[in-house]
Amino acid sequence: MEDMLFYDRMQFAFTITFHYLFPQLTMGLSLIIVYFKWKFLKSKLEIYNDAAKFWMKIFALNFAMGVVTGIPMEFQFGTNWAKFSELTGGIIGQTLAMEGMFSFFLESSFLGLFLFGEKLLGHKLHFVTGFLVFLGSWASGFLIIATHSWMQHPVGYEILENGKFVLNNFGALFSNPWLWPSYLHNQAASLVTASFVVAAIGAFYVLNNKHFEFGKLFVKTGVVFGLISSIVVAFPTGDLAAKNVVKYQPVTFAAMEGIFETEDGGSEIVLIGQPNMIDKTLDNKIAVPNILSFLTYQKWDAEIKGLNEFDEAIYPTNIPGLYYAYHIMVGLGTIFIGLMLLAVVQLFRKKLYKTKWILWALLFMLPFPYIANTMGWYTAELGRQPWLVYNLLRTSAGASPTVSAGNTLFTLLGFIGLYLLLGLLFLMLVGKIINKGPETLKH
């Protein structure tokens, strides 16, 4: 049973991690594309229109990959996690069906019109199609996170005698206190990814003196959007999301922060340390006294419960994994703010395009927002374990009893091989678009 559950979780973790590499870019990039198209309508400068069309090509490739890699996850609800689907389908089926029926079709339909309908529609309607692509992608994210938020903090439900969850308050799904902080935090994080990608490609063009005017535009746009979104990820959205964890999942918060013992007179914030699960301490820690209490409750001496206050039966399953995921996310987020702030300062000083070390930093930072976003999701998912629906349905109770560990491992290996090929094909196609550049697009 334990092997079966392990491979079920590993397969879903692998497929969803690979899948989310694509929508985390498209959601943020859709907003930047709308910005470029709006700037074109306002200024009539063709460079903005070409920029919008260039990035929509990369958007379309990411969207296609997101669709291809998203479908297997849906099937896993009926194979590896059939019991979970049977028990909670009356609730999560609502939001997942809405995501598929409304948001996905809205996004995909108007993506085609944006890519191929500019001459037919005219520039104003072309802008509208781009805006509807943005609306569809952000609505899709909202409905997925509404599902996730219900699993983290279940509301508006009742449990029947047969153990099935049914919805008794549809509005509660969308007024869930967990939902809006998580959604805004996620969308800001996706905009961070998009901003770094746009800035990195711009830096690549500037450093190579290739498509130079587009390079400058992409760097400028990327660092301005990047600074704003990096700050918003930390505050207020990250702060609000963390306070939800404190309020509704205090044992998770203690594990995230590495608090093993409740501290008198306020809790320190740990910058570096390694969880020692045998002695239940943090080894080699570097910490700042009382800061965590202040950030959490705005009181220097506020008490934050340590893991010693809770029954070990409800501890997160993988405390070291949760701790490291959270601290990698926060550490990278801090670096993002610092780098983007330096870049914006140089932009206002009109020295950014000649400050090569910042351009190289922007270029080499390209993969790190993907890592930070992934670690953010690992924090949320590892923090909820050992529950599928927090405090109501354990992960072990949601797995399919008839799918063997061997079958799951076999298909996991198949996914790894197939996704490796898909990933290489995707990188080749994106590389061709970037190498060709926006200047070669026809007006």
Side-chain angles (χ1 to χ4, degrees):
M1 176 64 184
E2 287 185 4
D3 284 348
M4 181 188 73
L5 188 62
F6 172 79
Y7 289 124
D8 285 344
R9 291 183 64 196
M10 285 294 293
Q11 186 183 88
F12 198 84
F14 173 77
T15 52
I16 200 167
T17 298
F18 190 85
H19 165 74
Y20 194 63
L21 295 174
F22 305 103
Q24 72 168 282
L25 176 64
T26 57
M27 289 186 293
L29 191 57
S30 64
L31 180 59
I32 294 177
I33 291 168
V34 168
Y35 165 76
F36 281 140
K37 191 67 187 184
W38 171 77
K39 285 289 286 185
F40 168 70
L41 292 177
K42 188 178 177 183
S43 67
K44 304 302 180 186
L45 294 175
E46 196 67 35
I47 188 172
Y48 290 110
N49 198 41
D50 283 346
K53 291 187 287 185
F54 170 77
W55 284 108
M56 190 58 92
K57 283 191 170 185
I58 291 177
F59 177 102
L61 265 179
N62 274 267
F63 178 79
M65 286 291 291
V67 173
V68 169
T69 57
I71 291 172
M73 290 181 351
E74 303 285 346
F75 282 113
Q76 285 177 65
F77 284 118
T79 54
N80 303 9
W81 301 101
K83 195 65 181 177
F84 170 66
S85 299
E86 178 189 351
L87 295 175
T88 65
I91 295 179
I92 66 169
Q94 308 277 340
T95 45
L96 292 177
M98 290 171 67
E99 190 272 336
M101 289 298 295
F102 302 126
S103 305
F104 172 76
F105 285 113
L106 176 69
E107 189 177 0
S108 56
S109 300
F110 287 100
L111 172 59
L113 286 172
F114 190 95
L115 287 171
F116 306 112
E118 183 181 18
K119 291 182 179 178
L120 178 66
L121 295 169
H123 289 304
K124 288 185 178 178
L125 282 177
H126 192 236
F127 168 80
V128 172
T129 61
F131 181 80
L132 289 171
V133 170
F134 156 73
L135 189 66
S137 68
W138 280 51
S140 180
F142 178 77
L143 291 165
I144 292 296
I145 292 177
T147 308
H148 174 261
S149 297
W150 183 83
M151 294 167 65
Q152 294 282 4
H153 180 60
V155 293
Y157 69 93
E158 61 179 289
I159 303 176
L160 303 180
E161 290 183 5
N162 59 8
K164 291 185 178 181
F165 293 76
V166 294
L167 196 62
N168 61 16
N169 184 350
F170 184 74
L173 282 177
F174 303 110
S175 59
N176 189 340
W178 197 280
L179 171 56
W180 282 101
S182 298
Y183 174 66
L184 295 174
H185 185 60
N186 185 80
Q187 300 310 99
S190 71
L191 188 55
V192 169
T193 298
S195 300
F196 269 89
V197 170
V198 171
I201 301 308
F204 173 74
Y205 287 153
V206 172
L207 288 166
N208 285 278
N209 201 22
K210 181 179 181 181
H211 313 295
F212 192 75
E213 292 304 314
F214 284 100
K216 292 198 298 183
L217 174 61
F218 295 165
V219 170
K220 177 182 177 180
T221 304
V223 298
V224 172
F225 273 91
L227 178 60
I228 294 168
S229 56
S230 296
I231 292 171
V232 171
V233 163
F235 185 86
T237 65
D239 180 61
L240 291 171
K243 286 178 177 175
N244 264 342
V245 179
V246 173
K247 184 175 181 180
Y248 300 112
Q249 297 182 8
V251 65
T252 300
F253 187 76
M256 283 165 46
E257 295 287 357
I259 305 171
F260 285 93
E261 299 288 335
T262 304
E263 299 172 20
D264 295 327
S267 290
E268 60 190 12
I269 190 166
V270 176
L271 305 179
I272 298 174
Q274 299 89 49
N276 181 335
M277 297 308 298
I278 297 174
D279 298 330
K280 295 186 177 172
T281 59
L282 277 179
D283 293 340
N284 309 311
K285 70 176 178 180
I286 299 174
V288 183
N290 299 91
I291 295 293
L292 186 61
S293 291
F294 180 77
L295 291 175
T296 306
Y297 293 110
Q298 287 70 59
K299 293 180 180 178
W300 295 103
D301 59 350
E303 180 184 276
I304 296 177
K305 289 184 177 180
L307 287 166
N308 64 305
E309 302 275 352
F310 302 95
D311 185 347
E312 288 193 23
I314 62 168
Y315 278 14
T317 308
N318 185 352
I319 290 175
L322 171 60
Y323 170 87
Y324 287 122
Y326 175 68
H327 281 78
I328 290 169
M329 174 191 70
V330 172
L332 286 175
T334 305
I335 293 170
F336 298 159
I337 294 172
L339 177 59
M340 286 301 187
L341 183 59
L342 286 172
V344 168
V345 168
Q346 289 297 84
L347 178 67
F348 278 102
R349 295 178 66 200
K350 302 186 185 302
K351 294 183 178 180
L352 177 58
Y353 309 121
K354 295 180 180 179
T355 310
K356 287 194 173 183
W357 73 267
I358 290 183
L359 295 177
W360 280 108
L362 289 171
L363 179 58
F364 282 107
M365 283 297 287
L366 189 150
F368 289 95
Y370 287 97
I371 295 170
N373 266 279
T374 302
M375 290 301 103
W377 273 106
Y378 281 13
T379 299
E381 296 304 302
L382 291 172
R384 194 185 64 243
Q385 295 299 322
W387 309 95
L388 282 173
V389 181
Y390 194 72
N391 267 343
L392 294 174
L393 179 65
R394 283 190 172 264
T395 305
S396 56
S400 303
T402 56
V403 179
S404 70
N407 285 338
T408 306
L409 177 58
F410 178 77
T411 52
L412 171 59
L413 295 173
F415 278 127
I416 291 171
L418 178 61
Y419 282 9
L420 177 63
L421 291 175
L422 284 173
L424 291 173
L425 177 62
F426 169 78
L427 291 174
M428 288 172 56
L429 293 173
V430 170
K432 288 188 71 173
I433 294 173
I434 292 169
N435 187 56
K436 187 178 181 182
E439 287 180 311
T440 59
L441 297 177
K442 295 180 180 179
H443 292 183

